[in-house]
Structures are given as structure tokens and as C-alpha cells.
Amino acid sequence: MIFYFSGTGNSLWTARQISSKLVDDKVYSIPSYMHKNEIEFCISENESLGFVFPVYSWGPPQIVIDFIDAIRIKLKGNNFIYFVCTCGDDTGKTAEIIKKLLLHKGLRLNAGYSVIMPNTYICLPGFDTDSTDIRNRKLSDSIGRINYICDSIIGRKEIIDCNEGSMPQIKSYIIRPLFNKYCISADKFHVNNKCVSCRKCEKACPLSNIVITNGTPNWGKNCTMCLACYHNCPVHAIEYGSSTRKKGQYTHPGI
């Protein structure tokens, strides 16, 4: 059983790759369960349980935290619990955060991995999508990395194999809370005159936070800054403030 959250497709593609190699492990979208009052699962004996998600400001997205906090999981014995996080560069203390979240639910984390994928965050100055060469290299390298991860999961290897990067404590426990407080908001999203009312942004939003009114997208308050709307716009009509007009777009080519 693999639970995933994905905005631009990196984590969805990763979850599907892991599922195809583990054969019996199906993928389930985390947002599809968030409207339920009770989220309860029973894990069969010897079954593995995985969480796949992107890293947002050196930690798991809030929706992943809320999901883990809400779920009730009944284990049958000899289960293997792991996570795989996709990131543009490094993860900070993501593994430590996930481990504590699971422990609070009475679940023991057995393994955790990171997979470097093309950058998607573009909302702050100095942040943009990768060049074509870097993007292609990351996508190519991710195949071998996921094969290694799958072999480790199948072999029940207990390991935390994440690229924490430099100053992980500062990034995850000082910068990240500030980012979550001041930078997680849909208030600056808007469209320019290129918008063709195709509704792709509305369909792409995993949290159903966009509603088209009179042909124009309107953003609600339930935003996790996954940027699926921005990256899926076919005419680059969606902007975030005034800083993204000339920045790139990206969605995983395998989705």
C-alpha cells in the first residue's frame, strides 16, 4: 500500500514506479481521503506501507502531515514502513519529521529515501525551474535511484538514505516554519490576459482549491503551494505576484 501526494507529477511518477516493481502494492492519493471524518486502514501481514511525497521547504507538505495525523492503521505483523520524498536538491530533516509523526501514531519507520527530481518552486526571487540539461540529467538519474530504492524495500533494508544537505536543522526547524507561516498562500495567484478558460488549472489542483467563475480561475484558502495550477497552464497565463512571468514551467513527462 502506497499513499502519495503530488503536484507536478514527480512524486506520482515515483509512486507508480515503486508500485510496478513491488507488484502487489497499489497507489492511493492522499487528497482523496482528506474529506473523510475517519481514515482507517488494515495492513495485511508482511505487507509494506509507503508514503511518497515532495519536499516543501525542507519538510513534508502540510497535507501529508495532516494525513498521517488523521489515519488509523491496524498492523498484522512483520510490516515494513517507509517513505520516499522527491526533492530538487536536499531534504533537510524531513526524515526526522516523518519518523516523529509516525511514532506519534504508534508506527515505527523502517526506511526513508530521497530522490532528486527537477525543481518546481518558482515563487520567490532566485528560484526557477532547471535548465533542460539539468532536468534531463535528474530524470535519467532518478530511474536508477528508484530501482535501488525498490531493491532495498524488497530486501527489507532498514536505512535512512536522504540527502539532508548543509545546515539541515536550520533549514527544517527555523526557515521552514517561517516559510509555512508567510509563504503558503494562494492570495498572489492571478491570471493575465493570455487565459483561455481551459479549466486545466481547476482540474490539476489536487485540493480542489480552484473554481472557474465567468471563465476566470479563483483560488480559495485551501492551498498547499504545490504549483500544479501554474505548471499545468498551457499558455503560461497563471502568475504568482509579479515574479513568475518569465520563469519556467515543468510537469513530469511520464504523467
Side-chain angles (χ1 to χ4, degrees):
M1 182 175 284
I2 301 171
F3 295 104
Y4 78 90
F5 172 71
S6 187
T8 59
N10 284 336
S11 294
L12 173 55
W13 181 82
T14 299
R16 286 176 175 174
Q17 292 299 304
I18 295 172
S19 173
S20 68
K21 297 181 187 304
L22 300 188
V23 184
D24 292 328
D25 286 11
K26 295 182 179 180
V27 297
Y28 301 89
S29 169
I30 287 176
S32 67
Y33 291 98
M34 296 308 294
H35 66 284
K36 298 182 178 181
N37 293 327
E38 293 186 0
I39 310 174
E40 185 172 315
F41 302 96
C42 184
I43 308 300
S44 303
E45 190 171 358
N46 297 317
E47 185 177 359
S48 60
L49 171 64
F51 301 89
V52 181
F53 55 87
V55 171
Y56 288 174
S57 187
W58 301 289
Q62 188 61 45
I63 187 173
V64 175
I65 294 174
D66 292 342
F67 177 74
I68 293 176
D69 187 56
I71 57 176
R72 290 188 296 173
I73 295 180
K74 297 179 180 179
L75 303 178
K76 286 291 185 69
N78 198 29
N79 302 110
F80 189 80
I81 302 175
Y82 67 91
F83 77 86
V84 179
C85 60
T86 59
C87 58
D89 296 293
D90 52 11
T91 68
K93 287 295 183 179
T94 296
E96 187 172 271
I97 295 169
I98 289 293
K99 183 178 180 179
K100 290 179 180 178
L101 286 169
L102 291 172
L103 189 61
H104 181 70
K105 302 297 294 187
L107 303 172
R108 177 177 173 268
L109 178 69
N110 298 107
Y113 309 88
S114 62
V115 180
I116 293 179
M117 286 286 197
N119 283 314
T120 62
Y121 188 74
I122 43 75
C123 293
L124 289 175
F127 290 82
D128 202 347
T129 55
D130 293 319
S131 67
T132 301
D133 287 345
I134 292 176
R135 180 184 302 181
N136 290 340
R137 175 178 57 79
K138 286 184 175 181
L139 290 173
S140 177
D141 291 348
S142 69
I143 297 173
R145 176 65 174 170
I146 291 173
N147 286 336
Y148 155 76
I149 290 171
C150 290
D151 288 342
S152 296
I153 295 171
I154 292 171
R156 299 283 175 116
K157 184 177 182 180
E158 298 207 8
I159 185 174
I160 300 298
D161 186 0
C162 295
N163 178 33
E164 286 192 348
S166 61
M167 300 182 294
Q169 293 279 356
I170 293 175
K171 288 176 177 176
S172 293
Y173 296 122
I174 297 178
I175 297 176
R176 177 171 170 266
L178 293 172
F179 178 87
N180 288 343
K181 183 176 181 179
Y182 296 109
C183 299
I184 302 293
S185 170
D187 291 347
K188 292 185 179 180
F189 281 116
H190 64 278
V191 292
N192 56 39
N193 57 14
K194 294 180 182 178
C195 181
V196 293
S197 303
C198 66
R199 308 183 81 94
K200 287 189 176 180
C201 56
E202 183 182 44
K203 295 175 182 176
C205 180
L207 300 185
S208 301
N209 190 51
I210 300 173
V211 177
I212 307 299
T213 305
N214 297 324
T216 302
N218 293 277
W219 283 261
K221 299 297 183 182
N222 190 26
C223 180
T224 192
M225 293 299 288
C226 71
L227 302 178
C229 56
Y230 169 89
H231 289 291
N232 278 279
C233 180
V235 292
H236 211 321
I238 294 175
E239 299 179 16
Y240 189 80
S242 59
S243 63
T244 62
R245 189 165 300 170
K246 296 183 179 180
K247 293 187 177 182
Q249 292 175 289
Y250 165 84
T251 55
H252 195 285
I255 299 302

